Amino acid sequence: MAASISNLAEQVRKARERKAVTRADIVRLLGIEEGDIDKLESGEKLPGRDAVESICKYLGVGEKHWRPLLSTQSAKRKKFEETLEELVGVALTLDHLDNAAAHAADRILDELMGGSATATQTLALLNRLLTFYGADPMFRPFFEYYLTPRAFSSEQRLTEAVRRYQVDAIRLFSSFAQAYAALNGAPDLESHRRVLEPRPDDEFRARRPWSAISLIDEERLPDLGYISASAIRKERDERSALSQFLIEVAGKIEQSGPSALAEISQEKLRRMDSLLRKFSSTIPHGFLSPLFAPDGDALRREADRLGPKEERDLSRMERTQAEALENLANYLTADYMDVYVATSMRTNADFVSVNRFVTSLFAHPDV
């Protein structure tokens, strides 16, 4: 088997375990960058040449496993593979080949990247390489539209050609692999690309202006993070009981110290402990913990923070949520939906941050 990053990753991992050292030990002992050993053991990417050599020598990994990977040819092949992967949409490697086959592929790569072959010769060389990688061959219409021999005159031009293809691919398909399979195999490439051509916008401009949505002020957006105002009303009793309990405990601790908790039943302490967790208390330890030792002022501040919402807050929340539900009804019955933004909002702050992002996105002049 030819030397490969995946094999080296396995050799390094086994050698480190035999030597009984951690990744952190290697970073400290060798003075390498944090993450170098992680890259090496993951097998996804080689760190710098010096890091590879120092790690492998320290762990006693045989040179046959790592020295070939540091060669100029190996680096050239890796760069080509990374670029070609962006085109075909699947991982490419020669790890499954023996040294003779890998060397044969390297010679073809050198000839291909020379940039002096004709279109027919370049396509033939490229397809020979794709065969080594086990990838589908490239057909002439695709090659002539997106690549041409010029793309293989330098790494930069090849990267630019692939990026130009990706602009079409990502607009037409859900993955680069799907795009390559469809566009490369299409008898008429233009039939796919035709939908990307500019078209008259008369039908869009003829629509009635969209004014059914009522914009909600940013300061009221956190109100949408609650399931409903009625659910908050149900919390009032619990929050009120917890707040009063914290104030009572604060007074008892100030009079008798932490031992005052012994006068309170375990059942009540457990119930209040549960409420502290439910309402995300900032007190680091619960009433039943031997580490519970806040002062009276801290308990009073927590009582104020966790106390029930005022009536005016609940009324505002109900109005905000009613507006949001009306917006939802209008949105779900809209005549057109040209753009759909999928969001995931789990906390009150999410409603604010997502609103800011979407607002800035659609305010962009290109959009």
Side-chain angles (χ1 to χ4, degrees):
M1 296 286 289
S4 67
I5 296 179
S6 58
N7 176 61
L8 176 59
E10 183 179 0
Q11 296 296 327
V12 168
R13 187 166 53 250
K14 289 180 177 179
R16 181 177 60 78
E17 292 171 353
R18 285 196 301 269
K19 203 173 180 71
V21 292
T22 65
R23 297 182 181 184
D25 291 335
I26 292 178
V27 171
R28 177 174 51 83
L29 292 169
L30 301 182
I32 61 176
E33 292 288 331
E34 289 187 18
D36 282 347
I37 184 65
D38 299 323
K39 290 179 184 177
L40 195 53
E41 288 198 16
S42 71
E44 295 180 3
K45 185 177 182 180
L46 283 179
R49 172 187 295 270
D50 292 342
V52 173
E53 186 167 354
S54 59
I55 292 171
C56 290
K57 284 185 175 180
Y58 172 74
L59 294 176
V61 177
E63 289 196 14
K64 67 179 182 179
H65 297 296
W66 56 271
R67 183 69 71 181
L69 299 177
L70 302 184
S71 67
T72 302
Q73 182 63 43
S74 179
K76 178 180 179 180
R77 183 208 301 163
K78 187 63 180 174
K79 175 63 177 175
F80 175 79
E81 289 172 352
E82 290 174 351
T83 305
L84 204 61
E85 286 173 353
E86 294 288 305
L87 181 75
V88 301
V90 296
L92 300 176
T93 179
L94 298 181
D95 289 357
H96 58 288
L97 301 181
D98 57 29
N99 284 324
H103 289 157
D106 283 341
R107 287 194 294 272
I108 295 173
L109 176 58
D110 287 339
E111 189 175 354
L112 173 66
M113 294 304 294
S116 59
T118 65
T120 298
Q121 293 166 345
T122 302
L123 180 58
L125 289 169
L126 176 59
N127 279 331
R128 288 179 66 191
L129 267 181
L130 290 173
T131 300
F132 277 101
Y133 285 111
D136 292 336
M138 186 177 297
F139 296 103
R140 183 174 291 276
F142 183 93
F143 171 81
E144 290 180 343
Y145 188 86
Y146 288 111
L147 297 176
T148 75
R150 184 177 183 274
F152 297 93
S153 60
S154 70
E155 290 180 354
Q156 181 179 346
R157 285 179 175 172
L158 180 58
T159 298
E160 290 171 353
V162 171
R163 291 292 179 266
R164 187 170 70 92
Y165 149 77
Q166 288 182 325
V167 170
D168 287 354
I170 203 65
R171 294 167 67 194
L172 291 169
F173 300 95
S174 60
S175 70
F176 292 136
Q178 184 185 16
Y180 180 72
L183 295 177
N184 181 47
D188 178 14
L189 189 60
E190 285 302 319
S191 64
H192 284 280
R193 295 197 68 262
R194 198 167 294 126
V195 298
L196 301 178
E197 296 299 323
R199 55 175 173 164
D201 60 359
D202 297 347
E203 64 175 293
F204 301 102
R205 295 184 182 278
R207 293 177 182 174
R208 184 182 298 275
W210 178 251
S211 58
I213 296 296
S214 172
L215 296 181
I216 297 174
D217 296 334
E218 184 174 286
E219 59 266 23
R220 291 194 293 135
L221 288 176
D223 292 347
L224 301 176
Y226 295 97
I227 296 173
S228 68
S230 61
I232 299 301
R233 291 185 185 279
K234 292 179 181 179
E235 289 182 2
R236 287 180 65 94
D237 290 344
E238 291 179 331
R239 286 183 176 273
S240 180
L242 177 59
S243 179
Q244 291 175 11
F245 180 75
L246 289 171
I247 293 172
E248 292 172 6
V249 171
K252 290 182 178 180
I253 289 179
E254 287 170 344
Q255 289 181 0
S256 309
S259 61
L261 289 177
E263 302 172 8
I264 304 172
S265 70
Q266 292 289 300
E267 181 181 357
K268 186 169 187 177
L269 289 176
R270 279 194 294 271
R271 186 166 71 88
M272 294 301 161
D273 239 5
S274 175
L275 292 179
L276 285 178
R277 292 192 298 272
K278 178 177 180 178
F279 299 126
S280 303
S281 171
T282 59
I283 298 175
H285 304 287
F287 296 116
L288 298 175
S289 169
L291 300 177
F292 176 81
D295 58 34
D297 286 341
L299 290 175
R300 288 189 177 89
R301 288 195 299 272
E302 191 69 355
D304 183 62
R305 192 181 74 83
L306 299 179
K309 299 289 183 184
E310 295 185 10
E311 184 63 33
R312 65 174 179 272
D313 294 329
L314 293 171
S315 298
R316 188 200 64 242
M317 288 170 58
E318 287 181 329
R319 291 196 305 272
T320 303
Q321 291 177 0
E323 286 182 54
L325 289 173
E326 185 174 345
N327 282 343
L328 178 63
N330 284 317
Y331 159 71
L332 292 176
T333 57
D335 294 335
Y336 309 101
M337 188 182 294
D338 297 316
V339 178
Y340 172 77
V341 179
T343 61
S344 177
M345 296 175 286
R346 293 182 173 85
T347 68
N348 298 357
D350 288 342
F351 284 86
V352 176
S353 61
V354 169
N355 179 69
R356 288 178 179 174
F357 168 74
V358 173
T359 300
S360 65
L361 174 65
F362 288 99
H364 193 284
D366 288 347
V367 178

